[in-house]
Amino acid sequence: YYLFASKSGGYWYSKDMAEWTFVTPRDLPIEAYAPAVMAYGGALYYTAGDIGLYRSTDPKAGQWELINDAFKVGDPDLFADDDGRVYLYYGLSHNGAISGMELDPKNGFRPLGQPFECFRADPALHGWERRGEDNLGDGPWIEGSWMTKHNGVYYLQYAAPGTEYKTYADGVYTAPSPRGPFAYAPSSPFSHKPTGFIGGAGHSATFQDKQGRYWHIVTMTISVKHQFERRLGLFPADFDSDGVLHANTLFGDYPQMLPAARSGAGADNFAGWMLLSFGKRAQASSSLDGFPPDKAFDEDVRTWWSARTANRGEWLSVDLGKPCLIHAVQVNYAEQDSTVIGRQPDQFSRYLLEASTDGRRWSTLADRSAARDDAPHDYVELSSPVKARYIRITNVAMPGGGPFSIRDLRVFGNGGGKPPAAAPHFEVHRDDADPRTAVVRWQPAPGAEGYVVRYGIAPGKLYQNYEVRGQMEITLHGLNANVDYSFTVDAFNDSGRTPGTTVLPAAANSR
């Protein structure tokens, strides 16, 4: 597997999608935005925004050559059909379009014929294309195309409404040929994650692993220090029996199975470990004003705790409230007052992670005091689960020139109880004046700590979801105006999820 990302100083390769090797290439403008890669004829081809086309027969060695600078487009996608023909899809504009052109592999991949328009933005019908965290803004940026062929159907994917929003998502049009005609898939957006620790699931690539299962790698947003402050997320994907493409983002920022361990049909890949640390009592060795310890346990990547210094020995701890069975911990670093830009040698986050049953006697879960990994979102999975009530992380070294700071210290496992006994009773109201909007309300479910509103184009296709904590109502503004939907509401706590058994319709013309 090869992984390319915007402005990352290089790229990565891996045999298993768990361990990655970084490559600093030669003769490749790697700091461009929106890379696109294609395997063709025993070589790897690379392009990005406005740079031309490059080829490598030894990408692990970082050797590349420019073969064509005739096309320079925004947010390109290279697609090789199984008949040997090659296409370039592209588009990056406000309220714009996705277009395509055929390339001639026998003539340096130069354009073959005239470009063709595939489709345009349509926020009047597609509520999720409207800009903003709540899809209440103006028209979108249409961008990030990607083509997948499955069972003879062409799935042209695209991103909207903007990379800085948690509502950033991917829609899809289908066609019988690479040139169209393209028909909007009413299940769009098929990749959507507006809630949870980190949101956003747009500008993505759909690919198959070595076992033939589909995955969808996405752009997720922080967008606090800079509009383009982003991360990558990876979700299982699939085509259902009706050919509906969907990515499973349900608990998508919780631990997931790696490709070799993924089993069963469909896109269910959840390891089953629940979040134990949300909203729990936190303490720290010190805190900067405005960055208290509870910010490291609020399930929000856009907030964080910061110590006053980067000194060895600064610490952060959480009381889970009871002994829990702990399977994994995710350490999400912040960059408070960091002065480093780009990749620098010997810039490693180092720490000691400990557990305790009484808050006095501590045992080591992970010793990263000599770590040499670039791991701003380090993940510690225990070989055997540990029962503990307290978790503590102690700083050894903090790179970047700023103090020890953590976006969230997330603890996963099982709270030792039972999932909620039943999912909540709920109701759905579609807005008559604007059918892109619906309100879902529910009653509290005994034992629930949170809820998941799931919906989709049919009772068996509830592929989209909102994770909700601390409220009994949510307003959705991202529906397709002319599409009928079905809804259900699940309940969850630190010991599991209880899926909803009632599915309610919300017709486009409901009155």
Side-chain angles (χ1 to χ4, degrees):
Y1 305 98
Y2 286 87
L3 172 60
F4 294 79
S6 297
K7 292 184 174 290
S8 292
Y11 53 88
W12 298 260
Y13 65 86
S14 172
K15 290 183 178 181
D16 56 10
M17 284 164 53
E19 301 295 330
W20 295 86
T21 300
F22 187 70
V23 178
T24 303
R26 297 184 293 276
D27 303 318
L28 188 68
I30 198 65
E31 289 298 303
Y33 277 119
V37 183
M38 172 183 67
Y40 188 87
L44 210 58
Y45 291 82
Y46 172 96
T47 187
D50 300 324
I51 67 165
L53 184 65
Y54 291 75
R55 176 176 60 200
S56 175
T57 56
D58 191 2
K60 291 181 181 179
Q63 298 176 347
W64 295 81
E65 61 175 335
L66 176 66
I67 62 168
N68 179 5
D69 61 0
F71 63 84
K72 293 183 178 181
V73 297
D75 280 14
D77 169 51
L78 296 165
F79 170 68
D81 205 349
D82 47 22
D83 61 1
R85 298 173 76 169
V86 176
Y87 298 84
L88 172 73
Y89 298 94
Y90 58 95
L92 172 63
S93 59
H94 181 253
N95 239 358
I98 296 297
S99 300
M101 67 173 73
E102 187 171 356
L103 304 179
D104 187 353
K106 297 179 181 179
N107 185 28
F109 293 88
R110 285 170 170 75
L112 188 63
Q114 296 299 311
F116 50 92
E117 185 175 291
C118 303
F119 55 82
R120 301 192 65 83
D122 192 359
L125 287 180
H126 310 154
W128 68 275
E129 289 185 1
R130 292 182 290 179
R131 290 172 67 80
E133 298 284 22
D134 295 314
N135 296 123
L136 287 174
D138 59 2
W141 279 82
I142 296 296
E143 56 195 31
S145 57
W146 181 270
M147 176 66 87
T148 302
K149 185 179 183 181
H150 177 74
N151 286 347
V153 178
Y154 295 84
Y155 294 76
L156 183 51
Q157 300 141 62
Y158 71 105
T163 192
E164 69 271 34
Y165 304 119
K166 288 185 176 182
T167 50
Y168 198 40
D170 278 342
V172 60
Y173 282 71
T174 61
S177 85
R179 293 178 173 270
F182 292 94
Y184 181 74
S187 55
S188 298
F190 75 92
S191 174
H192 187 231
K193 191 182 182 303
T195 56
F197 170 61
I198 183 168
H203 199 146
S204 316
T206 303
F207 66 96
Q208 287 178 282
D209 63 22
K210 296 177 181 181
Q211 290 76 36
R213 297 182 178 276
Y214 283 96
W215 296 83
H216 195 63
I217 189 163
V218 308
T219 303
M220 311 187 82
T221 176
I222 298 177
S223 302
V224 173
K225 295 185 176 181
H226 190 278
Q227 179 185 14
F228 294 155
E229 184 185 12
R230 300 172 293 184
R231 299 291 188 265
L232 300 183
L234 183 62
F235 305 127
D238 197 18
F239 296 84
D240 69 16
S241 59
D242 296 316
V244 176
L245 171 61
H246 57 284
N248 185 6
T249 65
L250 178 62
F251 295 135
D253 48 25
Y254 286 31
Q256 304 283 322
M257 307 301 291
L258 285 166
R262 186 173 163 188
S263 61
D268 185 3
N269 196 53
F270 182 37
W273 304 332
M274 304 305 293
L275 182 68
L276 306 174
S277 48
F278 171 75
K280 300 300 172 64
R281 189 170 67 90
Q283 293 181 302
S285 54
S286 68
S287 297
L288 280 179
D289 292 344
F291 301 91
D294 63 323
K295 293 299 183 183
F297 303 97
D298 63 356
E299 274 296 271
D300 187 351
V301 74
R302 293 174 170 177
T303 65
W304 58 88
W305 161 79
S306 179
R308 291 189 175 275
T309 76
N311 294 344
R312 186 182 184 117
E314 293 272 24
W315 56 266
L316 170 72
S317 72
V318 62
D319 177 359
L320 302 178
K322 61 183 177 180
C324 298
L325 198 62
I326 297 168
H327 285 266
V329 179
Q330 187 188 39
V331 181
N332 301 278
Y333 278 96
E335 299 80 33
Q336 178 72 38
D337 299 330
S338 175
T339 58
V340 170
I341 297 176
R343 299 188 182 278
Q344 302 292 332
D346 299 321
Q347 292 285 324
F348 305 115
S349 302
R350 293 172 172 171
Y351 62 89
L352 178 67
L353 187 67
E354 298 171 292
S356 173
T357 58
D358 58 11
R360 297 187 300 273
R361 293 165 295 181
W362 297 86
S363 60
T364 299
L365 293 181
D367 186 348
R368 297 283 201 263
S369 58
R372 298 191 62 81
D373 297 321
D374 180 8
H377 301 273
D378 204 10
Y379 176 68
V380 177
E381 185 173 314
L382 305 180
S383 56
S384 298
V386 170
K387 199 162 192 177
R389 175 172 172 172
Y390 302 88
I391 298 294
R392 182 173 68 187
I393 184 170
T394 302
N395 182 48
V396 174
M398 183 72 185
F404 186 43
S405 53
I406 302 288
R407 296 184 184 275
D408 264 43
L409 182 66
R410 306 174 75 217
V411 183
F412 296 97
N414 190 283
K418 295 181 179 180
H425 298 287
F426 71 99
E427 57 186 25
V428 182
H429 299 279
R430 193 83 175 260
D431 191 319
D432 291 340
D434 183 0
R436 297 171 297 180
T437 296
V439 178
V440 186
R441 298 186 183 95
W442 56 93
Q443 298 297 317
E449 296 177 0
Y451 304 89
V452 176
V453 177
R454 291 187 291 125
Y455 63 100
I457 60 173
K461 302 181 189 295
L462 307 182
Y463 296 140
Q464 297 182 37
N465 68 87
Y466 277 72
E467 181 183 333
V468 182
R469 297 175 185 265
Q471 62 192 74
M472 304 296 161
E473 176 181 313
I474 189 169
T475 302
L476 313 179
H477 300 287
L479 304 182
N480 295 302
N482 55 356
V483 173
D484 295 340
Y485 287 94
S486 297
F487 285 81
T488 195
V489 180
D490 307 339
F492 68 86
N493 60 20
D494 62 8
S495 299
R497 175 175 68 101
T498 301
T501 56
T502 301
V503 178
L504 297 180
N509 60 348
S510 63
R511 290 188 181 276

